Amino acid sequence: MTSLPESADSYRKLGQLLTDTGLDPTAAQHASLYASASGADLPALASTTLRVPSVRHDQHVFRFRNARHLADYITTIPKYRLGPLAGAPAC
């Protein structure tokens, strides 16, 4: 059984969880949401219009109360291709 992600590489673990469960069989292969811009890239990207005196690097650590909390979060991430889920309201 796959555990709920709670580590610094939580985004990778979320993708693997979706792949393992079959909710998005290719989730682990999707490009990172940060592939086009990360904290390290932002000063250069913004330098034409903004002065960026410093960049704060926070560690992303997820802590989900239960599987429902995890499911609610996953549905907000645009890189995943989730099909219709049982019990989900129709959009």
Side-chain angles (χ1 to χ4, degrees), residues 1-86:
M1 178 177 174
T2 305
S3 63
L4 299 180
E6 291 189 9
S7 71
D9 60 349
S10 292
Y11 284 115
R12 184 186 58 75
K13 287 188 176 189
L14 285 175
Q16 193 60 53
L17 176 66
L18 289 172
T19 297
D20 291 349
T21 60
L23 290 171
D24 181 349
T26 62
Q29 300 165 14
H30 298 317
S32 168
L33 292 175
Y34 300 106
S36 60
S38 69
D41 303 323
L42 291 178
L45 291 171
S47 67
T48 60
T49 55
L50 300 171
R51 185 178 72 79
V52 181
S54 67
V55 176
R56 179 178 168 172
H57 296 281
D58 291 329
Q59 183 181 34
H60 291 133
V61 177
F62 297 110
R63 301 204 193 296
F64 298 103
R65 292 183 300 277
N66 52 40
R68 176 58 192 231
H69 185 213
L70 170 62
D72 288 344
Y73 176 73
I74 286 174
T75 61
T76 69
I77 302 173
K79 77 176 194 170
Y80 299 127
R81 297 178 185 103
L82 303 174
L85 301 174

